[in-house]
Amino acid sequence: MAAADAKRNDFQSRAMLAATLSDIIADRLDAAVRQRGKALLAVSGGSTPGLLFDNLADADIEWGKIVVTLVDERYVPDTSPRSNAALVKSRLLQRRAAKAKFLPLYQPDRTVAAAADLADSGLRLLGLPLDVVVLGMGNDGHTASFFPDAAELAQLLDPANPRLVSSVNAPSAGEPRLTMTLPPIAAARFVALHIEGDEKAATLDKALSPNSTLPVRRVMDATPVEIFWAA
Ligand code: 6PG
């Protein structure tokens, strides 16, 4: 499927988007648990997914058989307001979802390179593919931590990269990061791209234009991605 054919779901409100996407994710996790006895969910951080997490935390599914991890992480401790792990713990791993197991990317007292190795092995041990990946997107067209100015961008987007998780250094990112590479994202059973606002709609249009090389487009060229957008 070409990127331009990506299925796009537009919603009248962010609340409707969050409720619908939460139901879709819960159905997929539930089916995975029924079919394979476990489910793997990788989510993004940032400001967009909070409301989605609030909805998903109440999903009536067997959370005890579900592992939640992050697509990417800013290399900061849980005490930082920029920590994606802190967001997941405070908004997603609550109520029913408190029973889920969480695999963090950040490791206190480790270098970012050592944490990348640990997260890589941890993800491998979970047994891929991931059942559901939820991506966000920045106004510069990055998704995961595939920043256009990342020194490691070519390797991160290499479909033959043997690593599942790598460290990233990008001047525009603010701090060092850890990110899943393209292969585990492209191999996932379902990839949702959750974006909100007119500025991101304009970036998405750019990404879908014929010769775009924006990182988010590179992901859409590698695997079917379903888009969820609300103003
Ligand atoms: C992160 C991400 C990143 C995010 C986009 C959108 O940790 O920053 O996982 O890829 O999804 O930057 O971020 P916002 O939701 O804050 O706009």
Side-chain angles (χ1 to χ4, degrees):
M1 189 176 77
D5 302 328
K7 184 172 175 199
R8 177 168 166 168
N9 307 281
D10 287 354
F11 294 85
Q12 287 182 353
S13 73
R14 295 179 180 197
M16 281 167 67
L17 187 165
T20 305
L21 182 53
S22 168
D23 285 349
I24 291 171
I25 293 170
D27 283 351
R28 287 190 169 263
L29 297 177
D30 188 44
V33 168
R34 285 172 201 277
Q35 286 161 25
R36 293 179 289 280
K38 64 167 189 174
L40 308 178
L41 166 66
V43 294
S44 294
S47 58
T48 307
L51 197 53
L52 169 67
F53 293 167
D54 294 341
N55 280 260
L56 199 49
D58 291 318
D60 190 5
I61 55 179
E62 283 192 86
W63 283 104
K65 296 183 177 168
I66 295 170
V67 179
V68 177
T69 190
L70 284 161
V71 170
D72 67 330
E73 177 64 286
R74 298 103 185 256
Y75 211 65
V76 293
D78 278 21
T79 46
S80 165
R82 289 187 53 75
S83 163
N84 287 341
L87 174 76
V88 166
K89 287 178 188 168
S90 64
R91 303 289 290 271
L92 176 53
L93 303 176
Q94 296 288 329
R95 302 182 295 283
R96 286 186 163 129
K99 289 201 184 106
K101 183 167 175 253
F102 179 54
L103 177 71
L105 301 185
Y106 176 82
Q107 298 288 342
D109 306 324
R110 305 250 177 189
T111 62
V112 66
D117 288 346
L118 262 182
D120 187 279
S121 328
L123 193 54
R124 235 166 260 282
L125 283 174
L126 289 182
L128 297 181
L130 296 157
D131 294 291
V132 175
V133 168
V134 183
L135 297 173
M137 185 188 76
N139 288 322
D140 60 355
H142 83 262
T143 189
S145 286
F146 305 155
F147 288 87
D149 61 345
E152 307 82 354
L153 188 63
Q155 294 104 288
L156 296 173
L157 289 170
D158 179 356
N161 187 341
R163 288 196 69 102
L164 304 178
V165 179
S166 280
S167 55
V168 183
N169 287 285
S172 64
E175 61 272 293
R177 294 192 176 214
L178 291 179
T179 189
M180 283 188 190
T181 58
L182 179 63
I185 295 172
R189 292 192 164 93
F190 180 69
V191 182
L193 176 62
H194 177 187
I195 55 175
E196 296 179 343
D198 291 331
E199 214 176 333
K200 287 192 183 177
T203 303
L204 180 66
D205 285 347
K206 257 192 245 163
L208 292 172
S209 70
N211 298 315
S212 170
T213 56
L214 287 176
V216 68
R217 168 61 177 272
R218 304 280 299 278
V219 175
M220 288 193 272
D221 283 341
T223 193
V225 171
E226 194 163 329
I227 299 160
F228 295 81
W229 177 85

